[in-house]
Amino acid sequence: MNASPAPSENWAAVRQRRSNFVTYLYRLHRDMSSDNKHAAAQARRSMALLRRCFTGQRQEADAYDLVFDFDPPEAEQHIWLLTAGLFALHPQSRPQEHDRKTSLGAAMGRLAKERGDSAKRRFTQLVSVEAQAMPHYLRQALQLLRTGSVPIDFYRLLDELTELLADDPRSLNADRRQRIRLNWARDYHRSSRSAGTAPDVSDATSAAPATT
């Protein structure tokens, strides 16, 4: 199964549900500092549930309701939950105009201007690993971005992760997956080249197309 919705699902409707879900995540972050104590407390509880979803199956199950309220396609459920957990690791405001469409590669490149080799190593690992290992490296990358207060566009991230991590046993989606990795490497290079910290793109782009 590739990242496309089932034939019975309307692609535009799925994209809208993804967008609504990510908007909800940004709203959680906003509500955490709300003057409404009840809303702030509820937002903090929800964020804590999402953050703990990485710690075990039971904790992951506790976060299901927050995701399923937005009716993700069955093939994307685990990816929406992963994205929500990543957001909880690096909560942030909805992107301003100059940060919209900031890819993970561009964000890591921006961080590399300050962190140098540590950001470069994390990024090269991320774009080189197979899909099964990617969630682990995504968590590391988001934690690193949080320490540098570097935002990313979670609308874009969810769209890209549905391509990279959806089940694709026959590699029907291999070209699109590789294109996303190449785009991340290009964006990293553009963001970091002034600091001379571009990653070894040969490592990133020669990796076999990811399979799950």
Side-chain angles (χ1 to χ4, degrees):
M1 182 182 298
N2 61 26
S4 300
S8 61
E9 295 200 75
N10 180 280
W11 175 251
V14 171
R15 289 293 300 271
Q16 185 60 54
R17 297 205 300 273
R18 286 183 197 164
S19 178
N20 292 344
F21 178 60
V22 175
T23 297
Y24 162 73
L25 297 177
Y26 284 123
R27 189 166 63 246
L28 279 182
H29 176 260
R30 182 199 65 193
D31 288 350
M32 287 174 66
S33 55
S34 171
D35 292 334
N36 183 319
K37 293 183 179 179
H38 175 74
Q42 181 60 48
R44 286 194 293 270
R45 284 194 294 270
S46 297
M47 197 72 78
L49 283 176
L50 295 174
R51 191 166 49 248
R52 289 198 298 268
C53 74
F54 291 129
T55 62
Q57 289 292 326
R58 189 175 72 81
Q59 291 81 1
E60 181 178 294
D62 289 339
Y64 285 162
D65 285 346
L66 299 178
V67 176
F68 292 161
D69 280 348
F70 293 87
D71 192 22
E74 184 177 351
E76 296 182 12
Q77 289 173 172
H78 63 296
I79 303 169
W80 288 35
L81 184 61
L82 170 65
T83 302
L86 295 173
F87 184 88
L89 291 178
H90 185 17
Q92 55 195 263
S93 300
R94 190 171 179 172
Q96 300 300 311
E97 190 64 36
H98 61 279
D99 284 323
R100 287 180 182 169
K101 298 300 179 184
T102 299
S103 73
L104 184 56
M108 290 295 288
R110 191 182 305 176
L111 184 68
K113 291 182 180 180
E114 301 176 4
R115 303 294 175 84
D117 285 347
S118 63
K120 175 184 175 181
R121 284 195 303 272
R122 293 296 187 197
F123 179 71
T124 302
Q125 290 171 336
L126 175 63
V127 293
S128 300
V129 298
E130 294 188 353
Q132 298 96 320
M134 187 170 283
H136 170 73
Y137 290 98
L138 284 166
R139 293 196 297 271
Q140 291 187 340
L142 268 293
Q143 289 170 325
L144 199 58
L145 289 171
R146 180 176 183 173
T147 66
S149 300
V150 179
I152 65 170
D153 185 337
F154 274 86
Y155 295 104
R156 175 172 178 170
L157 183 64
L158 177 54
D159 281 341
E160 291 178 328
L161 292 184
T162 57
E163 297 284 358
L164 287 167
L165 301 179
D167 292 339
D168 186 23
R170 291 184 292 174
S171 297
L172 300 177
N173 200 29
D175 287 346
R176 283 187 290 181
R177 293 180 187 215
Q178 188 70 350
R179 186 160 56 246
I180 290 170
R181 291 171 184 254
L182 285 166
N183 287 343
W184 283 1
R186 179 204 61 201
D187 292 346
Y188 178 99
H189 177 74
R190 288 178 175 174
S191 292
S192 66
R193 60 186 174 182
S194 63
T197 55
D200 184 351
V201 179
S202 63
D203 287 346
T205 60
S206 64
T211 57
T212 57

